[in-house]
Amino acid sequence: MRILSQVKSLLNFTLLAIILPGAAIAQDKTDEVTFHRDIEPILQRSCQNCHREGGAGPMPLVTYQQVAPFAGLIEYKTHLRDRAGAMPPWYMEKNVGIQDYKDDPSLSEEELAKISFWARNGTPQGDPAEAPELLVFDDSVKWGAGEPDLIVVLEDVTKLAGTPDWWGEIPSVPTGLTEDRYVKSVEVVEVNDVPQAGTGRETVGGRYIFHHMIWATAQMDENGQRVQGLNIPWPVHEVGRNADIFDEDAGRLLRANSWIVSDSVHLHSNGIDTTGHMEIGFRFHEKGYEPKYQNTFIGLGNGVDISIQGNKSEQELHAYTVLDQHTKVITFEPHLHAPGERMCLEAIWGYTIETLSCVGYDHNWVRGYPYADTAAPLLPKGTILHIVGYMNNSETNPNVPDPRNWQGSGNRSVTNMFIDLGIRVTMTDEQFFDAMEERRQVLNMGPNDHVIGCPLCGAPLVAPLPESNTESTAAGD
Protein backbone atom coordinates (compact mmCIF):
# COMPACT_ATOMS: atom_id res chain seq x y z
CA MET A 1 0.00 0.00 0.00
CA ARG A 2 2.84 2.37 0.81
CA ILE A 3 4.39 1.76 -2.63
CA LEU A 4 1.03 2.39 -4.32
CA SER A 5 0.64 5.61 -2.34
CA GLN A 6 4.09 6.79 -3.37
CA VAL A 7 3.37 5.97 -7.03
CA LYS A 8 0.07 7.83 -6.84
CA SER A 9 1.76 10.90 -5.34
CA LEU A 10 4.44 10.80 -8.03
CA LEU A 11 1.81 10.60 -10.78
CA ASN A 12 -0.15 13.47 -9.25
CA PHE A 13 2.94 15.64 -9.03
CA THR A 14 4.05 14.78 -12.58
CA LEU A 15 0.62 15.71 -13.95
CA LEU A 16 0.62 18.95 -11.98
CA ALA A 17 4.09 19.85 -13.21
CA ILE A 18 2.87 19.44 -16.80
CA ILE A 19 -0.25 21.57 -16.24
CA LEU A 20 1.43 24.13 -13.97
CA PRO A 21 5.19 24.20 -14.61
CA GLY A 22 5.81 26.35 -11.53
CA ALA A 23 4.54 23.57 -9.29
CA ALA A 24 7.77 21.65 -9.78
CA ILE A 25 9.66 24.60 -8.33
CA ALA A 26 7.64 24.44 -5.13
CA GLN A 27 8.11 20.70 -4.73
CA ASP A 28 11.87 20.83 -5.30
CA LYS A 29 12.22 23.01 -2.21
CA THR A 30 10.28 20.84 0.22
CA ASP A 31 8.83 17.37 0.50
CA GLU A 32 5.40 18.78 1.29
CA VAL A 33 3.55 22.06 0.87
CA THR A 34 1.72 22.78 4.14
CA PHE A 35 -0.76 25.38 5.24
CA HIS A 36 1.15 26.90 8.13
CA ARG A 37 4.56 27.06 6.51
CA ASP A 38 3.70 27.81 2.87
CA ILE A 39 0.09 28.95 2.38
CA GLU A 40 -0.64 31.04 5.47
CA PRO A 41 2.09 33.66 4.69
CA ILE A 42 0.60 34.13 1.21
CA LEU A 43 -2.88 34.65 2.63
CA GLN A 44 -1.60 37.13 5.20
CA ARG A 45 0.14 39.25 2.58
CA SER A 46 -2.50 39.27 -0.14
CA CYS A 47 -5.88 38.04 1.16
CA GLN A 48 -6.63 38.49 4.84
CA ASN A 49 -7.01 42.25 4.73
CA CYS A 50 -10.43 41.58 3.18
CA HIS A 51 -11.02 37.88 3.94
CA ARG A 52 -11.42 37.98 7.72
CA GLU A 53 -14.13 38.59 10.30
CA GLY A 54 -15.36 42.12 9.71
CA GLY A 55 -13.62 42.37 6.33
CA ALA A 56 -15.18 42.99 2.93
CA GLY A 57 -14.51 39.46 1.66
CA PRO A 58 -17.35 36.91 1.59
CA MET A 59 -15.54 34.39 3.81
CA PRO A 60 -12.66 34.59 6.33
CA LEU A 61 -9.39 32.96 5.28
CA VAL A 62 -7.41 33.09 8.50
CA THR A 63 -7.40 29.67 10.20
CA TYR A 64 -6.72 26.30 8.62
CA GLN A 65 -10.32 25.23 9.33
CA GLN A 66 -11.60 28.28 7.46
CA VAL A 67 -9.29 27.94 4.48
CA ALA A 68 -9.11 24.20 3.73
CA PRO A 69 -12.74 23.84 2.49
CA PHE A 70 -12.08 26.59 -0.08
CA ALA A 71 -8.75 25.24 -1.37
CA GLY A 72 -10.11 24.45 -4.83
CA LEU A 73 -11.83 27.84 -5.15
CA ILE A 74 -8.68 29.64 -3.99
CA GLU A 75 -6.65 27.80 -6.64
CA TYR A 76 -9.18 28.71 -9.35
CA LYS A 77 -9.49 32.38 -8.37
CA THR A 78 -5.78 33.03 -7.97
CA HIS A 79 -5.00 31.37 -11.29
CA LEU A 80 -7.34 33.72 -13.15
CA ARG A 81 -4.35 35.99 -12.55
CA ASP A 82 -5.27 39.10 -14.59
CA ARG A 83 -8.89 38.60 -15.65
CA ALA A 84 -12.26 39.52 -14.15
CA GLY A 85 -12.94 37.64 -10.92
CA ALA A 86 -9.26 37.08 -10.10
CA MET A 87 -8.09 37.18 -6.50
CA PRO A 88 -6.39 39.20 -5.23
CA PRO A 89 -8.05 41.92 -7.38
CA TRP A 90 -4.93 43.11 -9.20
CA TYR A 91 -5.12 42.55 -12.95
CA MET A 92 -1.74 43.74 -14.21
CA GLU A 93 -0.43 41.39 -16.90
CA LYS A 94 2.94 39.93 -15.98
CA ASN A 95 4.30 39.28 -19.47
CA VAL A 96 4.34 42.77 -20.97
CA GLY A 97 5.39 46.29 -20.05
CA ILE A 98 6.47 47.78 -16.74
CA GLN A 99 6.32 45.40 -13.78
CA ASP A 100 7.21 47.62 -10.80
CA TYR A 101 4.19 49.05 -8.95
CA LYS A 102 3.41 50.35 -5.50
CA ASP A 103 1.27 48.21 -3.16
CA ASP A 104 1.21 45.25 -5.55
CA PRO A 105 -0.58 42.32 -3.83
CA SER A 106 -0.31 39.91 -6.77
CA LEU A 107 1.15 36.42 -6.39
CA SER A 108 4.35 35.09 -7.93
CA GLU A 109 4.46 32.00 -10.10
CA GLU A 110 6.06 30.12 -7.22
CA GLU A 111 3.26 31.14 -4.86
CA LEU A 112 0.63 30.06 -7.39
CA ALA A 113 2.38 26.72 -7.76
CA LYS A 114 2.37 26.20 -4.00
CA ILE A 115 -1.36 26.90 -3.81
CA SER A 116 -2.06 24.42 -6.61
CA PHE A 117 0.10 21.68 -5.14
CA TRP A 118 -1.42 22.16 -1.69
CA ALA A 119 -5.01 22.16 -3.01
CA ARG A 120 -4.45 19.02 -5.11
CA ASN A 121 -2.56 16.99 -2.53
CA GLY A 122 -4.83 16.77 0.48
CA THR A 123 -4.40 20.33 1.91
CA PRO A 124 -2.01 19.23 4.71
CA GLN A 125 -2.06 21.49 7.75
CA GLY A 126 1.55 21.01 8.79
CA ASP A 127 3.19 22.01 12.04
CA PRO A 128 1.47 24.95 13.83
CA ALA A 129 4.88 25.88 15.20
CA GLU A 130 5.86 26.91 11.65
CA ALA A 131 2.92 29.32 11.33
CA PRO A 132 3.59 33.06 11.07
CA GLU A 133 2.35 35.30 13.85
CA LEU A 134 -1.36 36.07 13.47
CA LEU A 135 -2.11 39.49 12.01
CA VAL A 136 -3.97 41.98 14.19
CA PHE A 137 -6.47 44.19 12.35
CA ASP A 138 -7.90 47.45 13.64
CA ASP A 139 -11.40 47.68 12.22
CA SER A 140 -11.81 51.18 13.60
CA VAL A 141 -9.49 52.24 10.74
CA LYS A 142 -10.99 51.77 7.28
CA TRP A 143 -8.42 53.82 5.38
CA GLY A 144 -5.85 51.95 3.29
CA ALA A 145 -3.53 54.95 2.93
CA GLY A 146 -3.56 55.77 6.65
CA GLU A 147 -5.81 57.77 8.94
CA PRO A 148 -6.87 60.98 7.14
CA ASP A 149 -6.27 64.49 8.46
CA LEU A 150 -9.69 65.51 7.15
CA ILE A 151 -12.78 63.33 6.53
CA VAL A 152 -15.75 64.72 4.60
CA VAL A 153 -18.98 62.72 4.86
CA LEU A 154 -21.48 63.01 2.00
CA GLU A 155 -25.24 62.55 2.35
CA ASP A 156 -26.96 59.15 2.45
CA VAL A 157 -28.64 57.72 -0.65
CA THR A 158 -30.82 54.62 -0.95
CA LYS A 159 -30.78 52.12 -3.84
CA LEU A 160 -33.56 49.55 -3.92
CA ALA A 161 -33.09 45.94 -4.99
CA GLY A 162 -33.86 45.19 -8.62
CA THR A 163 -34.11 48.82 -9.72
CA PRO A 164 -32.26 50.09 -12.81
CA ASP A 165 -28.99 52.01 -12.74
CA TRP A 166 -29.22 55.66 -11.71
CA TRP A 167 -26.94 58.45 -12.83
CA GLY A 168 -27.07 62.07 -11.70
CA GLU A 169 -26.16 64.74 -9.17
CA ILE A 170 -25.90 64.43 -5.38
CA PRO A 171 -26.02 67.28 -2.81
CA SER A 172 -22.83 69.31 -2.34
CA VAL A 173 -21.14 69.23 1.08
CA PRO A 174 -18.65 71.74 2.61
CA THR A 175 -15.20 70.43 3.50
CA GLY A 176 -14.98 72.63 6.59
CA LEU A 177 -11.32 73.42 5.79
CA THR A 178 -10.34 76.91 6.96
CA GLU A 179 -6.91 77.22 5.27
CA ASP A 180 -5.35 76.09 2.00
CA ARG A 181 -3.53 72.75 2.32
CA TYR A 182 -1.64 70.53 -0.11
CA VAL A 183 -2.88 66.94 -0.24
CA LYS A 184 -0.54 63.92 -0.35
CA SER A 185 -3.31 61.31 -0.76
CA VAL A 186 -7.06 61.08 -1.13
CA GLU A 187 -9.23 58.04 -0.52
CA VAL A 188 -12.97 57.56 -1.05
CA VAL A 189 -14.83 54.75 0.73
CA GLU A 190 -18.45 53.67 0.65
CA VAL A 191 -20.15 53.09 4.00
CA ASN A 192 -23.49 51.26 3.79
CA ASP A 193 -25.85 49.05 5.78
CA VAL A 194 -25.10 45.79 3.94
CA PRO A 195 -24.24 43.07 6.50
CA GLN A 196 -20.60 42.00 6.44
CA ALA A 197 -21.69 38.38 6.19
CA GLY A 198 -22.97 38.69 2.64
CA THR A 199 -24.89 40.48 -0.06
CA GLY A 200 -27.55 39.80 -2.63
CA ARG A 201 -24.93 39.49 -5.37
CA GLU A 202 -22.01 37.09 -5.26
CA THR A 203 -19.75 39.30 -7.36
CA VAL A 204 -16.49 41.01 -6.55
CA GLY A 205 -17.38 44.40 -5.12
CA GLY A 206 -21.04 43.30 -5.14
CA ARG A 207 -21.85 44.69 -1.66
CA TYR A 208 -21.56 48.29 -2.93
CA ILE A 209 -24.10 50.54 -4.67
CA PHE A 210 -21.79 53.31 -5.92
CA HIS A 211 -20.13 52.21 -9.14
CA HIS A 212 -18.33 55.50 -9.62
CA MET A 213 -18.43 59.18 -8.70
CA ILE A 214 -16.82 61.95 -10.75
CA TRP A 215 -16.22 64.76 -8.26
CA ALA A 216 -14.44 68.04 -7.70
CA THR A 217 -13.95 70.74 -5.08
CA ALA A 218 -15.44 74.17 -5.75
CA GLN A 219 -15.96 77.56 -4.17
CA MET A 220 -19.54 78.69 -3.55
CA ASP A 221 -20.96 82.22 -3.65
CA GLU A 222 -23.48 83.68 -1.17
CA ASN A 223 -26.34 82.12 -3.18
CA GLY A 224 -24.90 78.62 -2.96
CA GLN A 225 -23.84 78.62 -6.62
CA ARG A 226 -20.43 77.42 -7.82
CA VAL A 227 -17.89 80.15 -8.56
CA GLN A 228 -16.83 79.59 -12.15
CA GLY A 229 -13.16 78.82 -12.76
CA LEU A 230 -12.43 77.64 -9.22
CA ASN A 231 -13.42 73.99 -9.65
CA ILE A 232 -10.59 71.52 -9.00
CA PRO A 233 -11.13 67.95 -10.30
CA TRP A 234 -10.02 65.00 -8.16
CA PRO A 235 -9.45 61.35 -9.13
CA VAL A 236 -12.67 59.54 -9.97
CA HIS A 237 -13.94 57.14 -7.32
CA GLU A 238 -14.78 53.66 -8.62
CA VAL A 239 -16.04 50.52 -6.90
CA GLY A 240 -13.21 48.67 -5.17
CA ARG A 241 -10.76 51.45 -5.91
CA ASN A 242 -7.58 51.83 -3.90
CA ALA A 243 -6.37 55.16 -2.48
CA ASP A 244 -4.78 57.78 -4.74
CA ILE A 245 -1.30 58.67 -3.48
CA PHE A 246 0.05 61.64 -5.41
CA ASP A 247 3.64 62.09 -6.49
CA GLU A 248 5.65 63.32 -3.51
CA ASP A 249 6.65 66.39 -5.55
CA ALA A 250 3.16 67.12 -6.90
CA GLY A 251 0.71 67.51 -4.03
CA ARG A 252 -2.83 68.62 -4.93
CA LEU A 253 -4.17 71.89 -3.51
CA LEU A 254 -7.35 71.74 -1.40
CA ARG A 255 -8.59 75.30 -0.96
CA ALA A 256 -10.09 76.74 2.20
CA ASN A 257 -13.89 77.00 2.32
CA SER A 258 -14.27 74.59 -0.59
CA TRP A 259 -17.19 72.22 -1.18
CA ILE A 260 -17.35 68.65 -2.50
CA VAL A 261 -19.45 68.74 -5.69
CA SER A 262 -20.52 66.00 -8.09
CA ASP A 263 -23.02 65.90 -10.94
CA SER A 264 -21.96 62.44 -12.14
CA VAL A 265 -22.72 59.66 -9.68
CA HIS A 266 -23.49 56.17 -11.00
CA LEU A 267 -25.53 53.93 -8.68
CA HIS A 268 -26.42 50.31 -9.34
CA SER A 269 -28.38 47.75 -7.35
CA ASN A 270 -26.39 45.20 -5.37
CA GLY A 271 -29.41 42.89 -5.02
CA ILE A 272 -30.81 44.14 -1.70
CA ASP A 273 -32.26 47.44 -0.47
CA THR A 274 -29.23 49.45 0.58
CA THR A 275 -28.61 52.88 2.13
CA GLY A 276 -25.08 54.21 1.97
CA HIS A 277 -22.87 57.25 1.59
CA MET A 278 -19.37 58.20 0.52
CA GLU A 279 -16.62 59.37 2.87
CA ILE A 280 -13.61 61.25 1.47
CA GLY A 281 -10.36 61.16 3.44
CA PHE A 282 -7.57 63.68 2.76
CA ARG A 283 -4.01 63.34 4.07
CA PHE A 284 -2.03 66.58 4.05
CA HIS A 285 1.58 67.56 3.50
CA GLU A 286 3.23 69.56 6.24
CA LYS A 287 2.40 73.25 6.33
CA GLY A 288 4.76 75.23 4.13
CA TYR A 289 5.01 72.45 1.51
CA GLU A 290 5.23 73.66 -2.09
CA PRO A 291 4.88 71.28 -5.09
CA LYS A 292 7.75 70.89 -7.51
CA TYR A 293 5.72 69.57 -10.47
CA GLN A 294 2.45 70.72 -12.00
CA ASN A 295 -0.48 68.31 -11.93
CA THR A 296 -2.23 67.98 -15.26
CA PHE A 297 -5.33 66.38 -16.68
CA ILE A 298 -4.71 64.64 -20.01
CA GLY A 299 -7.93 63.52 -21.65
CA LEU A 300 -7.22 60.07 -23.03
CA GLY A 301 -10.25 58.17 -24.15
CA ASN A 302 -13.31 58.19 -26.33
CA GLY A 303 -16.65 58.91 -24.73
CA VAL A 304 -18.63 59.47 -27.93
CA ASP A 305 -17.68 57.21 -30.85
CA ILE A 306 -18.13 53.88 -29.10
CA SER A 307 -19.69 51.09 -31.12
CA ILE A 308 -19.70 47.54 -29.77
CA GLN A 309 -21.44 44.85 -31.78
CA GLY A 310 -23.72 42.25 -30.26
CA ASN A 311 -22.69 38.60 -29.80
CA LYS A 312 -19.05 39.31 -30.58
CA SER A 313 -15.84 39.13 -28.56
CA GLU A 314 -12.33 40.48 -29.25
CA GLN A 315 -13.53 43.91 -30.32
CA GLU A 316 -11.12 46.85 -30.02
CA LEU A 317 -11.44 50.54 -29.21
CA HIS A 318 -8.59 53.02 -29.75
CA ALA A 319 -7.82 56.54 -28.55
CA TYR A 320 -4.77 58.80 -28.89
CA THR A 321 -3.42 62.05 -27.48
CA VAL A 322 -0.19 64.00 -28.05
CA LEU A 323 1.77 65.26 -25.05
CA ASP A 324 2.55 68.96 -25.45
CA GLN A 325 4.81 68.98 -22.36
CA HIS A 326 7.31 66.59 -20.79
CA THR A 327 5.18 64.24 -18.70
CA LYS A 328 5.61 61.80 -15.85
CA VAL A 329 2.87 59.15 -15.67
CA ILE A 330 2.05 58.44 -12.02
CA THR A 331 -0.76 55.88 -12.41
CA PHE A 332 -2.55 53.90 -15.11
CA GLU A 333 -6.27 53.50 -14.49
CA PRO A 334 -8.51 51.91 -17.13
CA HIS A 335 -12.20 52.73 -16.97
CA LEU A 336 -14.52 50.61 -19.10
CA HIS A 337 -17.98 49.15 -18.54
CA ALA A 338 -19.46 45.66 -18.56
CA PRO A 339 -18.03 44.41 -21.91
CA GLY A 340 -14.49 45.57 -21.02
CA GLU A 341 -11.92 42.77 -20.60
CA ARG A 342 -8.57 44.58 -20.74
CA MET A 343 -6.80 47.80 -21.68
CA CYS A 344 -3.26 48.54 -22.82
CA LEU A 345 -1.32 51.82 -22.65
CA GLU A 346 1.28 52.52 -25.36
CA ALA A 347 3.79 55.33 -25.87
CA ILE A 348 4.80 56.24 -29.42
CA TRP A 349 8.02 58.25 -29.70
CA GLY A 350 9.60 58.71 -33.11
CA TYR A 351 9.75 55.29 -34.72
CA THR A 352 9.36 53.51 -31.38
CA ILE A 353 6.09 51.99 -30.20
CA GLU A 354 6.35 50.69 -26.64
CA THR A 355 3.72 49.03 -24.48
CA LEU A 356 3.85 50.54 -21.01
CA SER A 357 1.15 48.44 -19.31
CA CYS A 358 -1.65 45.99 -20.04
CA VAL A 359 -4.25 45.14 -17.41
CA GLY A 360 -7.35 43.02 -17.26
CA TYR A 361 -10.55 44.73 -16.25
CA ASP A 362 -13.39 43.83 -13.89
CA HIS A 363 -16.43 46.11 -13.98
CA ASN A 364 -17.19 45.13 -10.37
CA TRP A 365 -13.75 45.98 -8.96
CA VAL A 366 -11.88 48.88 -10.54
CA ARG A 367 -8.24 49.55 -9.71
CA GLY A 368 -5.65 52.26 -10.18
CA TYR A 369 -2.09 51.04 -10.77
CA PRO A 370 0.56 53.39 -9.28
CA TYR A 371 3.99 52.96 -10.85
CA ALA A 372 6.98 52.57 -8.55
CA ASP A 373 9.09 55.73 -8.29
CA THR A 374 11.89 54.25 -10.39
CA ALA A 375 9.46 52.92 -13.04
CA ALA A 376 7.00 55.77 -13.61
CA PRO A 377 7.17 56.61 -17.35
CA LEU A 378 9.14 59.76 -18.21
CA LEU A 379 7.87 60.82 -21.63
CA PRO A 380 9.20 63.74 -23.70
CA LYS A 381 6.82 66.25 -25.23
CA GLY A 382 5.64 65.08 -28.62
CA THR A 383 5.05 61.53 -27.36
CA ILE A 384 1.77 60.02 -28.50
CA LEU A 385 -0.14 58.15 -25.79
CA HIS A 386 -2.36 55.38 -27.17
CA ILE A 387 -4.87 53.23 -25.30
CA VAL A 388 -6.46 50.07 -26.67
CA GLY A 389 -9.60 48.63 -25.10
CA TYR A 390 -10.54 44.99 -25.67
CA MET A 391 -14.27 44.34 -25.46
CA ASN A 392 -16.20 41.10 -25.08
CA ASN A 393 -19.92 41.50 -25.73
CA SER A 394 -20.69 37.79 -25.87
CA GLU A 395 -22.23 35.14 -23.64
CA THR A 396 -18.76 34.23 -22.34
CA ASN A 397 -18.66 37.54 -20.42
CA PRO A 398 -20.72 37.13 -17.20
CA ASN A 399 -20.90 40.91 -16.66
CA VAL A 400 -22.99 41.46 -19.82
CA PRO A 401 -26.73 40.96 -19.10
CA ASP A 402 -27.78 40.50 -22.76
CA PRO A 403 -24.98 40.15 -25.32
CA ARG A 404 -27.40 40.33 -28.24
CA ASN A 405 -27.59 44.13 -27.88
CA TRP A 406 -25.40 46.65 -29.67
CA GLN A 407 -23.74 48.99 -27.16
CA GLY A 408 -22.71 52.62 -27.51
CA SER A 409 -21.41 55.28 -25.15
CA GLY A 410 -23.19 56.27 -21.96
CA ASN A 411 -23.14 56.30 -18.18
CA ARG A 412 -25.07 53.14 -17.35
CA SER A 413 -23.41 49.75 -16.93
CA VAL A 414 -25.17 48.50 -20.08
CA THR A 415 -23.60 51.35 -22.07
CA ASN A 416 -19.91 52.16 -22.21
CA MET A 417 -17.00 54.37 -21.31
CA PHE A 418 -13.45 54.08 -22.60
CA ILE A 419 -11.02 56.25 -20.63
CA ASP A 420 -7.63 56.16 -18.94
CA LEU A 421 -8.14 58.11 -15.70
CA GLY A 422 -4.49 57.89 -14.62
CA ILE A 423 -2.64 60.68 -12.80
CA ARG A 424 0.10 62.64 -14.60
CA VAL A 425 2.38 65.60 -13.89
CA THR A 426 4.18 67.90 -16.31
CA MET A 427 7.81 68.97 -16.17
CA THR A 428 10.00 71.80 -17.40
CA ASP A 429 13.02 70.96 -19.57
CA GLU A 430 15.33 71.19 -16.57
CA GLN A 431 13.08 69.01 -14.37
CA PHE A 432 12.76 66.43 -17.13
CA PHE A 433 16.52 66.19 -17.69
CA ASP A 434 17.12 65.97 -13.92
CA ALA A 435 14.52 63.21 -13.56
CA MET A 436 16.12 61.17 -16.34
CA GLU A 437 19.57 61.62 -14.83
CA GLU A 438 18.24 60.46 -11.44
CA ARG A 439 16.67 57.43 -13.14
CA ARG A 440 20.00 56.56 -14.79
CA GLN A 441 21.81 56.82 -11.47
CA VAL A 442 19.27 54.84 -9.45
CA LEU A 443 19.11 52.03 -12.04
CA ASN A 444 22.86 52.16 -12.70
CA MET A 445 22.19 52.37 -16.43
CA GLY A 446 24.99 51.84 -18.89
CA PRO A 447 25.22 53.38 -22.38
CA ASN A 448 23.47 50.37 -23.98
CA ASP A 449 20.75 49.87 -21.36
CA HIS A 450 17.09 50.52 -22.03
CA VAL A 451 14.28 51.05 -19.55
CA ILE A 452 10.64 50.75 -20.54
CA GLY A 453 8.82 54.07 -20.43
CA CYS A 454 11.83 56.36 -20.69
CA PRO A 455 12.78 56.59 -24.38
CA LEU A 456 15.48 59.22 -23.81
CA CYS A 457 17.05 57.80 -20.63
CA GLY A 458 19.64 55.94 -22.67
CA ALA A 459 20.26 58.71 -25.19
CA PRO A 460 22.84 61.52 -24.83
CA LEU A 461 21.18 64.91 -24.64
CA VAL A 462 23.75 66.38 -27.09
CA ALA A 463 25.78 64.32 -29.54
CA PRO A 464 29.51 64.99 -28.84
CA LEU A 465 31.51 66.55 -31.65
CA PRO A 466 34.51 64.58 -33.00
CA GLU A 467 37.75 65.81 -31.45
CA SER A 468 39.29 66.70 -34.84
CA ASN A 469 36.32 68.93 -35.71
CA THR A 470 36.55 70.65 -32.35
CA GLU A 471 40.25 71.41 -32.86
CA SER A 472 39.82 72.74 -36.40
CA THR A 473 36.93 74.95 -35.29
CA ALA A 474 39.06 76.32 -32.47
CA ALA A 475 41.96 76.98 -34.88
CA GLY A 476 39.71 78.80 -37.29
CA ASP A 477 38.50 81.09 -34.51
Side-chain angles (χ1 to χ4, degrees), residues 318-366:
H318 296 262
Y320 301 82
T321 192
V322 180
L323 301 179
D324 59 7
Q325 299 183 72
H326 305 309
T327 301
K328 182 180 180 181
V329 181
I330 308 301
T331 61
F332 177 41
E333 185 182 341
H335 187 84
L336 303 165
H337 276 196
E341 282 197 325
R342 66 192 289 254
M343 183 187 286
C344 292
L345 174 65
E346 289 184 346
I348 304 170
W349 167 251
Y351 297 103
T352 303
I353 301 176
E354 190 169 64
T355 299
L356 303 179
S357 300
C358 285
V359 301
Y361 184 80
D362 189 334
H363 187 52
N364 298 298
W365 197 290
V366 183

Side-chain angles (χ1 to χ4, degrees), residues 102 184 245-251 285 289-292 373:
K102 297 177 180 177
K184 66 167 60 175
I245 301 174
F246 303 121
D247 187 278
E248 188 65 27
D249 294 316
H285 283 284
Y289 166 91
E290 291 293 335
K292 178 179 176 182
D373 293 334

Side-chain angles (χ1 to χ4, degrees), residues 69-369:
F70 294 102
L73 180 61
I74 293 170
E75 181 195 15
Y76 169 71
K77 286 285 193 176
T78 55
H79 279 75
L80 288 175
R81 172 60 94 182
D82 50 30
R83 291 295 175 262
M87 286 283 119
W90 180 270
Y91 311 114
M92 184 60 60
E93 296 179 8
K94 297 281 190 178
N95 59 348
V96 62
I98 296 167
Q99 293 299 315
D100 295 325
Y101 296 86
K102 297 177 180 177
D103 303 321
D104 179 356
S106 63
L107 307 187
S108 67
E109 292 297 328
E110 184 176 3
E111 289 172 325
L112 290 174
K114 286 181 178 181
I115 289 172
S116 288
F117 195 87
W118 180 72
R120 299 183 183 204
N121 287 273
T123 64
Q125 181 174 0
D127 185 355
E130 295 183 305
E133 224 178 291
L134 288 177
L135 298 182
V136 178
F137 296 97
D138 183 358
D139 283 326
S140 66
V141 179
K142 56 177 174 283
W143 305 97
E147 188 66 21
D149 299 303
L150 172 67
I151 300 173
V152 182
V153 180
L154 306 189
E155 294 187 12
D156 274 340
V157 298
T158 297
K159 193 76 180 74
L160 300 179
T163 54
D165 289 16
W166 180 88
W167 173 79
E169 185 172 353
I170 59 174
S172 300
V173 174
T175 64
L177 190 66
T178 58
E179 59 180 340
D180 290 355
R181 293 296 299 269
Y182 279 100
V183 175
K184 66 167 60 175
S185 73
V186 64
E187 188 170 3
V188 184
V189 299
E190 176 180 334
V191 177
N192 63 36
D193 57 3
V194 175
Q196 292 288 347
T199 177
R201 269 195 198 162
E202 294 182 359
T203 59
V204 178
R207 70 186 307 272
Y208 302 110
I209 57 173
F210 286 85
H211 181 264
H212 69 265
M213 176 178 71
I214 301 173
W215 63 286
T217 50
Q219 301 293 304
M220 298 290 193
D221 62 21
E222 61 275 9
N223 299 317
Q225 301 298 313
R226 298 185 199 178
V227 178
Q228 296 299 316
L230 291 180
N231 289 1
I232 299 176
W234 293 83
V236 175
H237 168 72
E238 300 163 283
V239 62
R241 182 186 172 89
N242 38 345
D244 285 288
I245 301 174
F246 303 121
D247 187 278
E248 188 65 27
D249 294 316
R252 294 280 187 96
L253 180 62
L254 181 61
R255 294 189 178 278
N257 305 313
S258 55
W259 289 60
I260 305 295
V261 297
S262 173
D263 56 8
S264 181
V265 169
H266 176 189
L267 299 176
H268 57 187
S269 170
N270 63 5
I272 58 177
D273 295 351
T274 300
T275 298
H277 64 265
M278 309 299 283
E279 297 186 9
I280 302 175
F282 297 94
R283 292 171 63 236
F284 296 140
H285 283 284
E286 298 294 328
K287 292 183 179 181
Y289 166 91
E290 291 293 335
K292 178 179 176 182
Y293 302 135
Q294 179 68 43
N295 287 287
T296 186
F297 175 77
I298 299 172
L300 182 52
N302 188 335
V304 179
D305 299 323
I306 294 177
S307 178
I308 301 173
Q309 300 177 45
N311 287 322
K312 185 178 179 181
S313 61
E314 299 181 359
Q315 301 181 63
E316 293 185 12
L317 299 175
H318 296 262
Y320 301 82
T321 192
V322 180
L323 301 179
D324 59 7
Q325 299 183 72
H326 305 309
T327 301
K328 182 180 180 181
V329 181
I330 308 301
T331 61
F332 177 41
E333 185 182 341
H335 187 84
L336 303 165
H337 276 196
E341 282 197 325
R342 66 192 289 254
M343 183 187 286
C344 292
L345 174 65
E346 289 184 346
I348 304 170
W349 167 251
Y351 297 103
T352 303
I353 301 176
E354 190 169 64
T355 299
L356 303 179
S357 300
C358 285
V359 301
Y361 184 80
D362 189 334
H363 187 52
N364 298 298
W365 197 290
V366 183
R367 311 293 290 175
Y369 299 88

